[in-house]
Amino acid sequence: MLDGLVAGALDDAAQRRALRPLAQVEREALAQAPALDARAALQRGDRIKVIAEVKRASPSRGALASIPDPALLARQYAEGGASAISVLTEGRRFGGSLADLDAVRAAVSVPVLRKDFIAEPYQVLEARAARADLVLLIVAALDDPTLHALHALILELGMTPLVETHDADEVRRAVDLGASVIGVNARDLSTFELDRDLFGRLAPSIPDGTVRIAESAVSGVADVEHYRRAGADVVLVGEALVTGGDPVAALNEFLAVS
């Protein structure tokens, strides 16, 4: 499944590149105002922090929410206290787009994450051209040379890499990379099964001072409390916010966890 998602993302990027060549996107990326300091926004505080996600669909759950106005939802998240907004830009299985990212960036003043299957420099430059502040790198999808090169490019462009892991070896690779923001995704990207306890098993291997983000398997306050007790500085939440009927109320409940 992961291989297919990455291949699809690269194919879509190639189609966009035919319309907007690399040199053009690079010029646009370098012309943007500096990215926001996402790491500072996500550092551990007295209470849990939340990255709230604009997410229409997923391969495991199918359609979740139509979200006709992603900018409106993002403003609600930001006004409700989210420390950053995650925007799914993958179109085939998640129903997202770079247009969503651009609309969200224009609507909020908190850091914005491009969440996609990033595997080549063109996609990173697209993210900066769309004024993203964070870019997701999935360790499982990248060999070490590619991971290091993309991580370096994200930093060079002034953005923050969110390095996502799923097992102990991937955490080791992220630490060796020097990643300052590391996520642990409870969802196995091969089977799409969830393991809420995975974060707690892996968190001790993430060095102090690194921002630790728990991703997936958040359906309610009890899950947020579970992650906080296990050492999470931040939770990344999508489905529970877009399917619950009142995203601001759910966000406020999550943010009360200390």
Side-chain angles (χ1 to χ4, degrees):
M1 178 66 77
L2 179 59
D3 289 344
L5 289 166
V6 173
L10 287 174
D11 183 58
D12 292 342
Q15 294 180 44
R16 293 192 300 273
R17 187 164 53 244
L19 300 174
R20 294 173 66 212
L22 176 64
Q24 176 185 342
V25 173
E26 184 174 16
R27 286 194 301 271
E28 293 172 3
L30 296 176
Q32 300 304 326
L36 300 176
D37 188 344
R39 184 179 183 279
L42 297 173
Q43 284 181 321
R44 189 175 186 87
D46 294 337
R47 295 185 181 277
I48 197 78
K49 294 185 177 181
V50 175
I51 300 175
E53 193 155 79
V54 177
K55 183 177 186 178
R56 292 191 177 91
S58 74
S60 60
R61 292 282 305 278
L64 298 170
S66 59
I67 312 181
D69 190 346
L72 174 61
L73 178 59
R75 281 195 297 270
Q76 292 174 331
Y77 285 157
E79 291 167 3
S83 293
I85 311 297
S86 170
V87 182
L88 264 302
T89 60
E90 196 276 346
R92 298 185 181 208
R93 304 297 295 274
F94 290 88
S97 70
L98 281 164
D100 289 343
L101 178 62
D102 194 56
V104 168
R105 172 70 287 163
V108 301
S109 59
V110 298
V112 175
L113 164 69
R114 181 184 186 185
K115 196 176 183 197
D116 207 322
F117 298 90
I118 305 296
E120 66 171 18
Y122 183 83
Q123 296 167 294
V124 175
L125 290 165
E126 282 184 316
R128 184 79 284 265
R131 296 170 293 163
D133 307 291
L134 299 107
V135 178
L136 183 71
L137 292 178
I138 302 173
V139 175
L142 304 168
D143 59 30
D144 274 340
T146 304
L147 177 63
H148 280 256
L150 294 176
H151 186 269
L153 178 59
I154 292 167
L155 292 174
E156 181 183 339
L157 292 170
M159 297 182 291
T160 301
L162 193 174
V163 182
E164 179 177 293
T165 63
H166 301 83
D167 61 33
D169 182 63
E170 291 176 16
V171 170
R172 177 192 58 76
R173 292 174 62 197
V175 171
D176 290 348
L177 182 67
S180 64
V181 179
I182 296 178
V184 175
N185 194 336
R187 190 178 300 281
D188 186 315
L189 293 182
S190 298
T191 65
F192 281 90
E193 294 179 357
L194 290 170
D195 179 359
R196 195 184 67 163
D197 294 323
L198 179 64
F199 178 87
R201 295 197 299 272
L202 298 182
S205 300
I206 301 174
D208 291 341
T210 306
V211 175
R212 300 180 175 101
I213 301 178
E215 304 176 44
S216 299
V218 175
S219 59
V221 174
D223 300 311
V224 179
E225 292 172 338
H226 178 82
Y227 280 137
R228 185 61 165 178
R229 288 193 300 270
D233 305 315
V234 184
V235 290
L236 191 155
V237 189
E239 293 181 18
L241 295 177
V242 301
T243 63
D246 190 340
V248 175
L251 181 59
N252 289 338
E253 289 183 356
F254 298 161
L255 288 168
V257 174
S258 60

